[in-house]
């Protein structure tokens, strides 16, 4: 059974509200991942603090890429905020940048549940101020293939307990990338794994992403042939239920397969703003 890695949702008859997120990882050094974004539901209520529910990766001062299934709502009066430069999302005095989402463009071929094309672009109302703590991630070349290890990050519980603990500070974990043909064999009984997906995770399931890591970045730290900078190679899409199951790697939307789509929509958004 596979499930979308979002929070507080019941998908294909399985509820992931009690499932964890980053498993087997460690706390990130504050602001070492300046491309990381927290998507939070602002209840538009001074008595209720915003709730983190998905991740994202910063592409420019106004654009974020995330998972399509992160387009959701929790209350009639609330709205989505993108938070950049965050580390401790429970600290109201932390020097981060909050922006209201102006638009969220979901891939037109996304089916609405566990399936390929799980990708969306977010445009914020006001640009982020870029600097050491808030910095876009580099995109790969179209259809570029990666090997080795990659880093996934997010805010979430650290153990697969029935009542998980959710740390407030950003966490990270290194996952081995899994060849697509091998991933296809491990997920032999599902039809929604596509060649536009990237798979990552150890055989024993000791390290994994899970609910509310959705849309968060999978990044190669080895760079590419043309750059030594970190490169965004995937965004968290779906995985096993329960999370961190042996022989069940996490599945990510492969960014290299959507470069034209990303660039086209970002360019169109800039034209619309002019």
């Amino acid at each position: 059974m596979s499930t979308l890695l979002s929070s507080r949702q019941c998908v294909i008859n399985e509820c992931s509200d009690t499932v964890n997120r980053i498993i087997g990882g460690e706390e990130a050094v504050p602001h070492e991942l300046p491309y990381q974004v927290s998507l939070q539901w602002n209840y538009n209520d001074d008595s209720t603090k915003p709730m983190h529910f998905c991740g994202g990766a910063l592409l420019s001062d106004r654009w974020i890429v995330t998972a399509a299934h992160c387009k959701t709502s929790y209350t009639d009066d609330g709205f989505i905020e993108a938070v950049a430069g965050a580390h401790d999302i429970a600290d109201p005095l932390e020097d981060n940048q909050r922006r209201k989402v102006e638009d969220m463009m979901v891939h037109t071929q996304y089916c609405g549940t566990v399936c390929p094309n799980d990708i969306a672009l977010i445009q914020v109302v006001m640009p982020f101020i870029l600097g050491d703590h808030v910095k876009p991630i580099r995109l790969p070349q179209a259809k570029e293939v990666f090997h080795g290890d990659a880093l996934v990050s997010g805010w979430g519980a650290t153990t697969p307990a029935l009542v998980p603990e959710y740390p407030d500070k950003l966490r990270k974990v290194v996952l081995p990338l899994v060849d697509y043909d091998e991933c296809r064999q491990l997920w032999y009984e599902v039809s929604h794994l596509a060649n536009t997906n990237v798979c990552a995770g150890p055989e024993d399931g000791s390290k994994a992403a899970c609910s509310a890591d959705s849309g968060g970045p999978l990044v190669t730290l080895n760079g590419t042939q043309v750059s030594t900078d970190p490169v965004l190679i995937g965004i968290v899409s779906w995985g096993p239920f329960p999370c961190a199951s042996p022989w069940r790697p996490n599945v990510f939307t492969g960014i290299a397969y959507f470069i034209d789509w990303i660039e086209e929509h970002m360019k169109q958004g800039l034209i619309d703003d002019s």
Side-chain angles (χ1 to χ4, degrees):
M1 183 67 72
S2 57
T3 183
L4 291 168
L5 301 185
S6 56
S7 67
R8 297 172 177 84
Q9 292 184 357
C10 294
V11 182
I12 50 177
N13 299 320
E14 299 284 359
C15 189
S16 61
D17 190 40
T18 59
V19 182
N20 318 290
R21 298 176 248 177
I22 291 291
I23 294 174
E26 61 183 357
E27 182 182 335
V29 175
H31 312 300
E32 72 167 312
L33 309 176
Y35 51 81
Q36 176 79 48
V37 173
S38 168
L39 298 184
Q40 300 183 11
W41 186 256
N42 188 314
Y43 291 90
N44 202 20
D45 177 358
D46 292 339
S47 63
T48 307
K49 67 178 184 179
M51 176 192 71
H52 168 86
F53 66 92
C54 269
L58 191 68
L59 299 183
S60 74
D61 62 351
R62 287 198 66 180
W63 290 93
I64 297 160
V65 63
T66 187
H69 74 265
C70 288
K71 186 172 185 177
T72 185
S73 62
Y74 295 95
T75 57
D76 292 338
D77 297 329
F79 54 89
I80 298 175
E81 282 186 319
V83 185
H87 179 70
D88 184 347
I89 56 175
D91 182 359
L93 301 179
E94 183 179 64
D95 184 19
N96 55 42
Q97 299 182 40
R98 310 184 71 91
R99 300 290 187 269
K100 187 174 182 179
V101 169
E102 179 176 275
D103 194 13
M104 187 168 182
M105 289 157 281
V106 170
H107 198 287
T108 56
Q109 295 181 14
Y110 173 62
C111 72
T113 181
V114 184
C115 61
N117 305 303
D118 186 13
I119 187 170
L121 281 171
I122 286 175
Q123 188 174 30
V124 294
V125 173
M126 295 293 293
F128 290 106
I129 300 172
L130 301 183
D132 291 340
H133 294 178
V134 178
K135 186 182 301 183
I137 184 73
R138 185 177 176 275
L139 289 171
Q141 297 180 6
K143 298 184 180 179
E144 188 172 3
V145 178
F146 295 90
H147 303 282
D149 294 336
L151 183 80
V152 64
S153 50
W155 288 268
T158 56
T159 59
L162 291 177
V163 183
E165 296 180 2
Y166 291 88
D168 299 316
K169 297 176 181 178
L170 180 64
R171 297 185 67 83
K172 63 180 182 178
V173 67
V174 176
L175 303 177
L177 294 172
V178 179
D179 178 77
Y180 176 77
D181 290 337
E182 180 181 351
C183 188
R184 175 76 272 172
Q185 293 178 0
L186 294 172
W187 283 105
Y188 66 91
E189 81 281 23
V190 302
S191 61
H192 45 266
L193 180 67
N195 59 8
T196 56
N197 289 127
V198 171
C199 302
E203 294 177 353
D204 62 3
S206 60
K207 301 176 181 180
C210 202
S211 61
D213 276 325
S214 284
L218 179 72
V219 172
T220 175
L221 301 180
N222 300 325
T224 66
Q225 295 179 351
V226 297
S227 174
T228 58
D229 294 332
V231 176
L232 180 67
I233 63 176
I235 51 175
V236 181
S237 182
W238 56 273
F241 185 89
C243 295
S245 297
W247 307 104
R248 295 295 196 185
N250 286 137
V251 179
F252 303 78
T253 302
I255 293 296
Y257 298 95
F258 295 93
I259 295 299
D260 290 344
W261 182 85
I262 290 171
E263 292 180 345
E264 176 185 347
H265 282 76
M266 288 177 63
K267 181 178 179 180
Q268 184 62 47
L270 293 174
I271 293 174
D272 291 343
D273 286 342
S274 62

